[in-house]
Amino acid sequence: MNIRNDTLKPEANSRISPRLASIVTTLVLILILGHFSVIGLSNVYQNNNSNRGDNSSTLRLGLKIKHRVALTDGSRHPLYPAILSLFAEKEFAYFTKSKLVTLGIKVLAL
């Protein structure tokens, strides 16, 4: 079976330049991150109940870490509440800030 070398080579005109490929890849990633951020931000605005789920426990633990009372409550990893403790306060704004920090962590994780 004879295979000619020129049949395996793609034509020069069908090749995409590396610069164009990187631009397209960057734009697709920006669109994905933008879409995720917009959806996440709308969820941040809709979630206005700090008692739902374990939000209140996590927020309380963040306050305890800020006041150097506890590092963990025994059932949660202390990293997330430790990050939230940087913004901890006894105001409702703490809940809003924690939601935005969470969204930022999620976007960075992508």
Side-chain angles (χ1 to χ4, degrees):
M1 182 167 158
N2 291 334
I3 299 176
R4 294 180 12 203
N5 284 339
D6 59 343
T7 59
L8 298 177
K9 294 180 184 176
E11 292 184 27
N13 294 338
S14 67
R15 204 161 186 197
I16 298 175
S17 72
R19 181 170 165 79
L20 179 62
S22 66
I23 290 172
V24 169
T25 303
T26 303
L27 287 175
V28 168
L29 287 176
I30 289 172
L31 285 173
I32 290 171
L33 287 175
H35 178 72
F36 181 80
S37 298
V38 168
I39 297 297
L41 198 56
S42 70
N43 288 337
V44 164
Y45 289 132
Q46 290 175 1
N47 182 10
N48 56 11
N49 184 1
S50 65
N51 291 323
R52 189 169 59 200
D54 66 345
N55 290 338
S56 62
S57 300
T58 304
L59 295 173
R60 196 174 312 112
L61 184 56
L63 275 171
K64 287 180 180 179
I65 292 173
K66 181 168 186 126
H67 296 297
R68 298 174 190 247
V69 175
L71 183 59
T72 184
D73 59 359
S75 62
R76 284 176 190 73
H77 192 282
L79 179 61
Y80 178 63
I83 292 170
L84 293 181
S85 72
L86 300 172
F87 307 98
E89 57 188 49
K90 290 189 176 188
E91 300 292 327
F92 192 75
Y94 174 39
F95 178 57
T96 305
K97 290 176 186 176
S98 71
K99 292 187 298 183
L100 293 174
V101 167
T102 303
L103 179 61
I105 291 170
K106 289 178 181 180
V107 168
L108 287 176
L110 278 179

